[in-house]
Amino acid sequence: MEKGYSIKSKPIYGTLVWQDHAMHHVVIAEGEGGKALLKLFQQKLPREPLSVLYLAADPQAEKYATTVQKIINEPVTIKDSQAELLNALKATLDSCYMGTQFYVAGTEGFIWKVAAVLRDAGVDDKNVFKELCGSLGRRLYCVHCKTTNENVHHNIHVCTGCGRHLIVREHFSRLMGAYMGFMIDAEVPGEIPAAEEIYP
Amino acid sequence: MSLLNVKVTAVEQITEQVKQFTFELEDGGKLPYFSGGSHVVVAMDIDGRIHRNAYSLMGPTSDNERYTIAVRKQEQSRGGSVFMHEQVKPGTRLQITPPTNLFAINKLAKKHILVAGGIGITPFMSQISDLNRLGYPYELHYAYRSADQAAFRDQLEKLCGDKVHFYVDDEGRRMNFTELLIQQPLGSHIYVCGPNTMVNSLVLMAKQMGWPDNAVHSEKFLAPATGEPFVVSLSLSETEVMVPGEMSMLEALEEAGIDAPYLCRGGACGRCELEVVDCDGELIHHDVYLSDAEKISANKIMPCVSRANCSRMVVNL
Ligand code: FES
């Protein structure tokens, strides 16, 4: 990696912190994001109406879910598939107005799937608080065959759509929630460096 | 900045204090198209001094034959509006800048809430023509002091139908900001234009009710403040310019023949920013562009509205 190099389109994630002026808080998390949820509730239990949606698809996540429920003493929407969680989120949005603050914690792929649902409802992703948790695996969009590859951990990845060796670039599309992947041996076919696992 | 030479083709008295002016290009050509919320800066020659005021374009955005603006007569002001009211007649020739838009609607919004106070209705006249054409959902809330000051009310009723709501101060029908801001659908944007106090309190209320900053748009009509005279020294061009008490720094620079940049002339856009190299007194910031931290650090100034209590200021120009 080049020193000092960073690119504007690449999202920077923070730590979830309550927005004091919000009239309603909606917190959406998955997997390891459960820990961000717990950290958030350690700051305080807000006075304003609160909706919590959590995707728990493994035993560790279920543990987080149980703890969260104990702490907040309010019903938490828990789902075990992403599709169901996103549907529950859409249903929740029907009762949200301006002044609602959204918080998302989870992997990058999850964060941007949630952001896409929120965007359809008119929420600008700049106003959504995001915390990156769990795997650093990237979603990779192949610019050649337009396949989106999930959970890419290596800097060079064989596209599941077209079999090309793609180099994972830093260019990120917020609309697609994915990094751009370009064929690495376009100039000298077959010249492919060894892949390194840099997004564990 | 390249200016447009226009002539006044019509002047209409709208209310006791408001007049509407229609401009066409002097040589009869087509004016540049503009988007809803745009303004132009009108240059007026008042006793040999060039005075520049920004006014919103009101006409439908589809009309590139003529521009219309409305001017409220501000008796206590430094003369721009009085000049427009008293000296400008059909046939008068003026120079205006091409339109710039610092108050455009956000096209991604799900709903637009427009809030006007008094003459602050003007930028919304052209925004409404855009909103109607695009079929976007909106509501307009318009407050004025008394029934005889309801500029453009009939026109608005025709243009907006049941989307417009009127609030008449002296009839006790006041706008309630909390009510305007509560239970608005996600993706709403609010736009406010009017007197300072109104704009400030609505913006503050929106913040307290959890509205994100980027969904709140405002335009104020800031007239440059008057104050003590001082000298500006231009380090790059090695010139000194005296800023009289009743003139803004920008006006004084322009008068001295310096081509200083500007867009809004209202302390909002940041275009006129100058770097302050040295100042033997205190800067008095009136703009809404610089952050509080930048204002305190005292090395930037917006000469369109801000000035200083000093004898000499050095800027990088
Ligand atoms: S001209 Fe816009 S801030 Fe001065």
Side-chain angles (χ1 to χ4, degrees):
Chain A
M1 260 178 141
E2 197 184 318
K3 281 184 184 172
Y5 176 73
S6 85
I7 199 162
K8 230 173 136 194
S9 67
K10 194 164 89 172
I12 308 281
Y13 304 96
T15 300
L16 298 186
V17 177
W18 296 111
Q19 139 77 290
D20 284 336
H21 294 304
M23 316 261 286
H24 177 188
H25 307 270
V26 177
V27 192
I28 311 130
E30 67 145 10
E32 264 306 292
K35 198 159 199 172
L37 263 185
L38 291 172
K39 285 194 295 179
L40 188 61
F41 288 114
Q42 278 173 24
Q43 292 166 23
K44 73 171 175 189
L45 190 56
R47 201 172 284 137
E48 299 78 22
L50 174 68
S51 314
V52 181
L53 299 100
Y54 184 54
L55 170 57
D58 60 71
Q60 175 57 50
E62 278 158 23
K63 267 197 211 158
Y64 285 137
T66 321
T67 318
V68 169
Q69 264 167 318
K70 275 189 203 138
I71 297 178
I72 70 173
N73 234 332
E74 260 178 82
V76 175
T77 306
I78 297 170
K79 300 287 177 192
D80 57 12
S81 85
Q82 198 177 73
E84 277 180 60
L85 187 91
L86 295 179
N87 281 334
L89 172 60
K90 284 179 199 152
T92 307
L93 291 177
D94 291 337
S95 56
C96 291
Y97 297 100
M98 287 304 282
T100 305
Q101 178 64 51
F102 296 91
Y103 310 78
V104 195
T107 60
E108 196 163 42
F110 176 79
I111 290 174
W112 292 95
K113 280 197 182 125
V114 169
V117 171
L118 295 178
R119 185 186 314 115
D120 285 341
V123 181
D124 185 340
D125 73 66
K126 286 192 203 77
N127 301 329
V128 176
F129 294 175
K130 316 172 197 78
E131 183 164 339
L132 182 59
C133 305
S135 162
L136 297 184
R138 292 184 166 191
R139 292 185 84 213
L140 182 67
Y141 176 81
C142 172
V143 301
H144 309 284
C145 78
K146 309 200 177 347
T147 300
T148 303
N149 298 261
E150 302 284 344
N151 298 319
V152 172
H153 299 290
H154 292 75
N155 59 344
I156 296 165
H157 179 80
V158 179
C159 176
T160 53
C162 62
R164 287 183 176 91
H165 284 79
L166 303 175
I167 171 120
V168 182
R169 300 289 298 274
E170 295 297 275
H171 287 270
F172 185 80
S173 158
R174 287 170 184 247
L175 280 179
M176 291 187 278
Y179 292 86
M180 300 294 112
F182 291 83
M183 188 175 168
I184 193 162
D185 56 342
E187 274 159 31
V188 190
E191 201 171 283
I192 299 161
E196 306 280 351
E197 183 182 0
I198 60 172
Y199 318 113
Chain B
M1 193 177 293
S2 72
L3 296 175
L4 304 169
N5 292 310
V6 296
K7 64 170 187 282
V8 177
T9 53
V11 180
E12 208 183 316
Q13 190 85 40
I14 302 293
T15 68
E16 202 180 318
Q17 285 114 344
V18 176
K19 272 189 181 180
Q20 175 177 295
F21 300 86
T22 305
F23 303 144
E24 287 176 25
L25 273 184
E26 205 170 46
D27 54 20
K30 299 254 188 272
L31 288 157
Y33 275 116
F34 64 98
S35 49
S38 297
H39 73 265
V40 295
V41 174
V42 179
M44 309 163 217
D45 183 338
I46 307 180
D47 303 326
R49 269 194 178 165
I50 303 297
H51 201 97
R52 291 177 178 84
N53 278 8
Y55 295 109
S56 301
L57 293 180
M58 299 206 304
T61 51
S62 53
D63 190 354
N64 66 344
E65 307 262 325
R66 59 192 66 79
Y67 288 161
T68 50
I69 63 165
V71 180
R72 185 181 181 198
K73 194 170 179 180
Q74 321 279 46
E75 297 289 359
Q76 341 72 320
S77 85
R78 299 159 327 125
S81 67
V82 173
F83 175 86
M84 289 299 291
H85 271 250
E86 289 171 5
Q87 310 290 324
V88 176
K89 305 266 147 47
T92 304
R93 274 146 221 274
L94 292 167
Q95 282 196 313
I96 64 173
T97 60
T100 13
N101 200 346
L102 301 169
F103 198 48
I105 54 165
N106 181 310
K107 295 213 167 153
L108 296 176
K110 297 276 178 193
K111 180 180 176 186
H112 305 266
I113 301 153
L114 319 178
V115 184
I119 194 66
I121 190 66
T122 54
F124 296 122
M125 302 297 288
S126 60
Q127 281 193 349
I128 284 165
S129 88
D130 273 356
L131 292 166
N132 280 339
R133 182 173 49 84
L134 296 163
Y136 289 168
Y138 72 92
E139 51 190 59
L140 169 64
H141 301 268
Y142 177 22
Y144 43 83
R145 221 163 277 155
S146 56
D148 59 336
Q149 295 194 24
F152 309 110
R153 178 169 174 148
D154 296 346
Q155 207 170 324
L156 287 168
E157 277 173 342
K158 257 182 238 125
L159 279 171
C160 313
D162 58 3
K163 297 195 187 82
V164 59
H165 308 268
F166 299 103
Y167 304 82
V168 194
D169 233 25
D170 74 350
E171 291 170 13
R173 267 185 53 69
R174 298 260 160 79
M175 218 182 259
N176 179 327
F177 292 159
T178 315
E179 259 168 38
L180 286 189
L181 291 160
I182 202 137
Q183 297 211 336
Q184 291 290 3
L186 287 178
S188 297
H189 279 240
I190 195 161
Y191 309 78
V192 55
C193 182
N196 260 328
T197 46
M198 173 187 193
V199 173
N200 292 344
S201 39
L202 181 65
V203 170
L204 188 69
M205 184 65 82
K207 196 181 212 65
Q208 282 168 352
M209 291 175 67
W211 282 59
D213 291 348
N214 54 8
V216 182
H217 313 264
S218 64
E219 188 159 87
K220 292 192 243 192
F221 293 117
L222 273 187
T226 53
E228 295 302 316
F230 59 97
V231 171
V232 194
S233 152
L234 312 178
S235 64
L236 301 184
S237 43
E238 296 182 353
T239 333
E240 296 219 322
V241 174
M242 167 79 194
V243 183
E246 73 291 348
M247 228 191 242
S248 73
M249 220 173 126
L250 179 62
E251 288 166 333
L253 293 172
E254 287 170 338
E255 186 143 306
I258 289 146
D259 190 16
Y262 68 85
L263 274 182
C264 69
R265 301 183 82 88
C269 72
R271 186 64 217 285
C272 65
E273 178 177 314
L274 292 178
E275 189 192 333
V276 178
V277 186
D278 193 21
C279 173
D280 62 4
E282 197 195 344
L283 300 186
I284 309 171
H285 296 285
H286 292 292
D287 65 275
V288 290
Y289 179 79
L290 293 175
S291 67
D292 289 345
E294 286 173 310
K295 286 181 183 173
I296 292 166
S297 65
N299 47 23
K300 286 177 188 168
I301 192 162
M302 297 296 148
C304 62
V305 290
S306 301
R307 54 191 308 122
N309 236 337
C310 69
S311 56
R312 194 159 165 278
M313 181 197 302
V314 184
V315 298
N316 236 344
L317 187 70

